[in-house]
């Protein structure tokens, strides 16, 4: 009986101390990242503010353009959402979701248009004590009733 009590006490001590180990998100609650792929297609410059050890708010922007002297095309993306961390550790799975506003314009036909779509992204985050941030996830985009799947990798710095 004493042996079982010792094992239970060791497990409780281990899990209670493990929950307190990774507080980098709270000591450096802001991060700036660049996402390759993901919710805006090619790239996204993002900012996140961590409000609690398990939740943060994020915003992102992306601008794509091209053309010649006679015509040009420009795409602009603006995104915002939240990220829920499943563990209070420096390496943790997460679930994020939000909304993206996309706008496009062309000088050829002098037209423009915009649309709104939604994203959900399960993924994994690693934060080092020095501030390096790595995230990898799969973005599920709901665009006009159709699901698109785009992987995304974010690299950045926490401060």
């Amino acid at each position: 009986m004493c042996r079982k009590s010792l094992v239970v006490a060791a497990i409780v001590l281990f899990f209670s101390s493990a929950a307190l180990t990774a507080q980098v998100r709270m000591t450096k609650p802001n991060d700036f990242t660049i996402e390759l792929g993901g919710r805006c297609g090619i790239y996204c410059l993002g900012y996140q503010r961590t409000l609690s050890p398990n939740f943060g708010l994020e915003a992102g922007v992306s601008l794509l353009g091209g053309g010649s002297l006679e015509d040009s095309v420009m795409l602009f993306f603006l995104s915002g959402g939240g990220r829920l961390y499943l563990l209070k550790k420096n390496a943790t799975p997460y679930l994020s979701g939000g909304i993206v506003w996309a706008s496009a314009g062309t000088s050829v036909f002098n037209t423009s248009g915009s649309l709104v779509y939604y994203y959900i992204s399960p993924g994994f985050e690693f934060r080092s004590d020095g501030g390096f941030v790595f995230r990898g996830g799969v973005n599920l985009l709901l665009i006009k009733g159709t699901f698109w799947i785009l992987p995304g990798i974010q690299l950045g710095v926490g401060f």
Side-chain angles (χ1 to χ4, degrees), residues 20-85:
L20 299 174
T21 57
Q23 298 301 321
V24 174
R25 282 193 300 273
M26 294 314 294
T27 58
K28 296 182 179 186
N30 303 299
D31 66 62
F32 180 75
T33 59
I34 182 164
E35 179 179 24
L36 302 175
R39 63 187 180 259
C40 294
I42 296 176
Y43 82 96
C44 181
L45 299 175
Y47 170 78
Q48 177 179 300
R49 172 70 180 182
T50 304
L51 302 177
S52 74
N54 287 59
F55 184 74
L57 291 176
E58 62 182 348
V61 64
S62 179
L63 180 65
L64 303 170
S68 64
L69 293 175
E70 293 90 29
D71 58 353
S72 64
V73 176
M74 185 173 65
L75 296 168
F76 177 72
F77 297 90
L78 186 62
S79 66
R83 179 170 285 118
L84 176 66
Y85 294 100

Side-chain angles (χ1 to χ4, degrees), residues 88-110:
K88 294 181 183 179
K89 296 189 174 206
N90 290 348
T92 178
Y94 68 81
L95 181 63
S96 67
I99 190 168
V100 178
W101 176 70
S103 178
T106 177
S107 64
V108 177
F109 302 109
N110 200 15

